[in-house]
Amino acid sequence: MKRRWLLIIGALGLCPAAQAHLVTTGLGPVYDGVGHFFLSPEDVLLAVGVALFAGLRGPSAGRSVLVALPLGWLAGGLAGLFSDWAAVDGQVPSAVSLFVAGVLIAADAALPRWAVTIVAGLLAAAHGFYNGLAMREAGPVVAWLQLAGIAAALFILAALFSALVVALRRPAARIVVRVAGSWTAAIGLLLLGWAIRLRR
C-alpha cells in the first residue's frame, strides 16, 4: 500500500505544470480558484511539503505557516495579476521550490519559527505570482476571487497536514515524513530536468 501511494505521488509530480490553465467549475470564481489549485500538482505538492515541514518544527511553526502560506500565495498572486510581465511558464521556479521544500523536510532542518515562516511565505509568493499571471485573462475581480479560493484551500490543507505531523510522537513516524520530503525533492529535480529539456 505504501509503495502504491509513493507511485501515485510520483506520477502527480511528473504531470506537466498547470500554471497556464483556468478552471471553470460552474460554481463561481472562488471554486474555480480551488479547482485551479487542486489541478496543479506542483502547487499541491509544494503546499503539502511546506505544511509537513512546519509540522516537523512544532505547533508554533505550524500556526505561523497556517497564516504565511495563504497570505504569501495571495500577495504573490496579486503581484502577478497587476504586473507588466507577460504570461510565462513557471515550471522552473516550481521545480526549484519543490526541491527546496523537499530538502528542508528530508534534512529536518532545525530552523527557528521566524525562518520557517519566511521560507513558507517566499515559496508561496513565488507560486502565487505565476497563478496571478495565468489568471489575468479572467479580469481583476474574477481573478481576485479565484486567488481567494486558492488561499482558502491552502489554509485548510496547511492546517490538516501540519497538524498531522505535529501529532506524530514516534521517531519512526517522523522518519516517514522525512522520506516523503526526499521524494518531494526528487520530484522537484525531475520536473527541473523536464522543464530544461523542453526549453531546448
Side-chain angles (χ1 to χ4, degrees):
M1 179 65 77
K2 192 180 297 183
R3 193 174 296 172
R4 185 180 302 169
W5 275 107
L6 290 174
L7 287 173
I8 291 170
I9 292 170
L12 283 173
L14 288 172
C15 290
Q19 304 284 1
H21 70 272
L22 292 178
V23 176
T24 304
T25 61
L27 299 173
V30 173
Y31 286 99
D32 290 348
V34 174
H36 175 92
F37 173 73
F38 282 109
L39 290 175
S40 302
E42 70 284 358
D43 288 347
V44 175
L45 284 175
L46 177 80
V48 171
V50 170
L52 292 177
F53 179 59
L56 285 174
R57 300 276 51 84
S60 179
R63 286 190 292 269
S64 296
V65 167
L66 195 59
V67 176
L69 192 64
L71 286 185
W73 208 292
L74 186 61
L78 291 174
L81 183 61
F82 295 108
S83 75
D84 295 328
W85 282 34
V88 293
D89 182 12
Q91 282 188 326
V92 171
S94 294
V96 171
S97 61
L98 275 177
F99 177 73
V100 169
V103 167
L104 289 173
I105 299 166
D108 195 7
L111 300 182
R113 184 182 68 172
W114 62 266
V116 174
T117 306
I118 290 173
V119 169
L122 289 176
L123 293 176
H127 277 244
F129 181 79
Y130 288 98
N131 284 169
L133 290 179
M135 291 175 174
R136 279 189 306 198
E137 61 189 77
V141 176
V142 172
W144 161 259
L145 292 172
Q146 289 175 337
L147 289 169
I150 292 175
L154 282 165
F155 182 87
I156 295 169
L157 207 64
L160 290 173
F161 280 92
S162 60
L164 176 68
V165 178
V166 166
L168 299 177
R169 292 290 178 260
R170 294 183 178 180
R174 292 177 64 88
I175 290 173
V176 170
V177 175
R178 294 177 66 182
V179 170
S182 69
W183 276 85
T184 303
I187 290 169
L189 283 177
L190 287 170
L191 282 175
L192 183 60
W194 182 278
I196 292 172
R197 181 176 176 82
L198 290 178
R199 288 169 182 264
R200 291 182 178 177

